[in-house]
Amino acid sequence: MKKYLLAGFGAVALTTLAACNNDEGNGSTIATIEGGETITQEALFEDLKNNQQAAGALQNAFFTDLTEQLLALAGEDMDFSEEQINAMVATLQDEFGVNSEEELVDIVVERLGLEDRDDMIDNLIIPELTLIELQAQDLDYTDEDIAAYFEDNREQYEQVEARHILVEEEDVANDIIEQLNDGSDFADLAEEYGTDGTATNGGDLGFFTRAEMDEAFAEAAFDLEVGEVTSEPVESAFGFHVIEKTDEALEYDTMPDSAQMAVKRAYIEENGRDFFAVVVDLLEQYDVTVEDEFFQGVIDQVQASTNQPETEEEQPAEDDATDSDEDTTDEDTTDEDTTDEENE
């Protein structure tokens, strides 16, 4: 999720950067103060660059936009299937906590400044799929490897599907449980009593992992059998819940495509090529030129980070050489001592 939030910030921040750096608007006036100094875009931009907190945000925004464009370009040479695209869309739905593609599109339009579904595919889905492909280069793995990775991290990825009715009072939750036991419809009760946004959708929460929910809520939902309703209200930080478990995906083979995609992505990120190494290759492939030293510093840091492991690996060899020199010196000292004893 963090990746997409950063992308959203980048889109907003870079709108400002574009205005500041536009040739026609460079130095243009933002405000004038009678008897004071004029505030210009150029001066404001320089102030931001010299502010430690703002400078980091600007550089993050620049790097995010740069990498997304590079990945989008690289993706033009790749042929992704509709199945792959739809799986990634579903993965984003999970990460943004929405139950439909339409809701996802609305969110990325509002938060990330994208225009529509096609724009989301081109600028969010394709770059992410491209990154996975590039990180997986030279990584020899099978479906069995992914399944084994899931087993090793089971609690992080196994999911259940549930619906709930959230209310403020425990007595109300108990009354709802009694009505359900008497045969009332769960969705109808959710719409009548529910106090959160899921009420109009029958309380449907879709699939979720343990980490995505309040600890008490998750424990109760995972402990239920499919089709079972909690026998007593579950208290969380949000109120009192009546929960029904509607499905589960506790094995890799039974997980939704979106969940399998999340597992595969995590496996590749952990075992494949380093993200920054991928970016450095793309910088060279597409001959990127950065005109501003302030932003060139970001590129320099990325390139340095990809060289760092080699430097660290070489260090022991230098230490060995130093140790060897020290040993030689010790031997020379011993020889000198022996010579002195003989002379005596």
Side-chain angles (χ1 to χ4, degrees):
M1 175 68 105
K2 178 172 63 177
K3 183 181 304 180
Y4 302 108
L5 291 178
L6 180 58
F9 177 81
V12 174
L14 280 161
T15 301
T16 305
L17 293 183
C20 290
N21 284 324
N22 185 283
D23 289 338
E24 296 179 359
N26 201 15
S28 62
T29 299
I30 296 176
T32 57
I33 305 171
E34 185 175 352
E37 296 182 358
T38 299
I39 302 174
T40 66
Q41 290 181 344
E42 183 179 21
L44 182 60
F45 184 51
E46 290 301 318
D47 287 343
L48 290 174
K49 289 164 65 174
N50 291 321
N51 178 287
Q52 185 174 2
Q53 184 173 358
L58 289 175
Q59 289 178 325
N60 282 340
F62 161 72
F63 184 70
T64 297
D65 191 68
L66 175 65
T67 53
E68 287 180 351
Q69 290 194 46
L70 290 172
L71 289 168
L73 287 171
E76 293 177 358
D77 298 326
M78 298 183 183
D79 185 21
F80 298 111
S81 67
E82 282 300 314
E83 182 181 3
Q84 289 175 292
I85 290 173
N86 290 335
M88 182 55 70
V89 169
T91 301
L92 284 188
Q93 287 177 211
D94 291 344
E95 293 186 352
F96 276 102
V98 296
N99 295 322
S100 70
E101 185 175 312
E102 291 73 18
E103 289 180 273
L104 176 64
V105 172
D106 289 342
I107 285 178
V108 299
V109 167
E110 178 182 353
R111 297 185 188 178
L112 309 188
L114 302 179
E115 295 181 2
D116 50 29
R117 183 185 189 277
D118 290 340
D119 201 18
M120 178 183 74
I121 299 300
D122 291 340
N123 294 289
L124 203 58
I125 303 300
I126 296 301
E128 182 63 25
L129 290 171
T130 301
L131 176 60
I132 293 173
E133 289 295 316
L134 294 176
Q135 287 187 293
Q137 284 181 347
D138 303 324
L139 179 61
D140 186 17
Y141 69 95
T142 64
D143 289 342
E144 288 72 21
D145 293 325
I146 306 298
Y149 180 82
F150 166 80
E151 288 295 334
D152 292 339
N153 301 274
R154 171 177 288 277
E155 288 199 0
Q156 183 177 349
Y157 293 109
E158 59 185 2
Q159 299 185 356
V160 298
E161 183 184 55
R163 53 184 179 174
H164 79 143
I165 303 172
L166 173 65
V167 295
E168 295 179 358
E169 303 294 334
E170 186 176 8
D171 289 344
V172 176
N174 279 316
D175 179 57
I176 292 171
I177 292 173
E178 289 182 12
Q179 293 186 58
L180 289 171
N181 291 336
D182 291 338
S184 295
D185 182 74
F186 194 102
D188 291 342
L189 293 177
E191 187 171 357
E192 180 179 353
Y193 292 100
T195 59
D196 71 337
T198 67
T200 56
N201 195 34
D204 183 26
L205 294 166
F207 277 94
F208 54 85
T209 64
R210 285 183 173 84
E212 292 175 307
M213 293 296 176
D214 178 275
E215 184 177 354
F217 184 99
E219 182 178 354
F222 274 84
D223 284 346
L224 291 171
E225 298 294 331
V226 174
E228 184 183 4
V229 177
T230 48
S231 59
E232 58 185 34
V234 177
E235 186 177 6
S236 76
F238 305 100
F240 294 90
H241 307 259
V242 178
I243 308 168
E244 180 187 12
K245 186 181 197 176
T246 54
D247 201 354
E248 62 185 11
L250 305 181
E251 302 298 333
Y252 179 75
D253 291 340
T254 64
M255 298 178 73
D257 289 345
S258 60
Q260 290 189 0
M261 173 69 78
V263 176
K264 178 180 178 181
R265 183 170 57 169
Y267 173 85
I268 290 173
E269 286 178 352
E270 187 171 315
N271 297 281
R273 298 180 65 209
D274 178 71
F275 168 71
F276 292 116
V278 170
V279 172
V280 168
D281 285 350
L282 292 176
L283 288 169
E284 296 176 356
Q285 180 179 347
Y286 292 100
D287 192 22
V288 175
T289 302
V290 181
E291 304 291 345
D292 191 318
E293 290 184 4
F294 173 76
F295 294 109
Q296 179 61 43
V298 181
I299 305 302
D300 293 341
Q301 290 178 22
V302 171
Q303 291 173 330
S305 71
T306 61
N307 295 329
Q308 190 63 34
E310 295 180 4
T311 304
E312 290 176 353
E313 288 175 4
E314 291 172 358
Q315 187 63 39
E318 295 176 0
D319 291 343
D320 290 344
T322 303
D323 291 343
S324 177
D325 290 342
E326 291 175 352
D327 291 343
T328 302
T329 303
D330 291 341
E331 290 175 1
D332 292 343
T333 303
T334 302
D335 290 342
E336 290 175 1
D337 292 342
T338 303
T339 302
D340 291 341
E341 290 176 359
E342 290 176 350
N343 289 338
E344 290 174 357

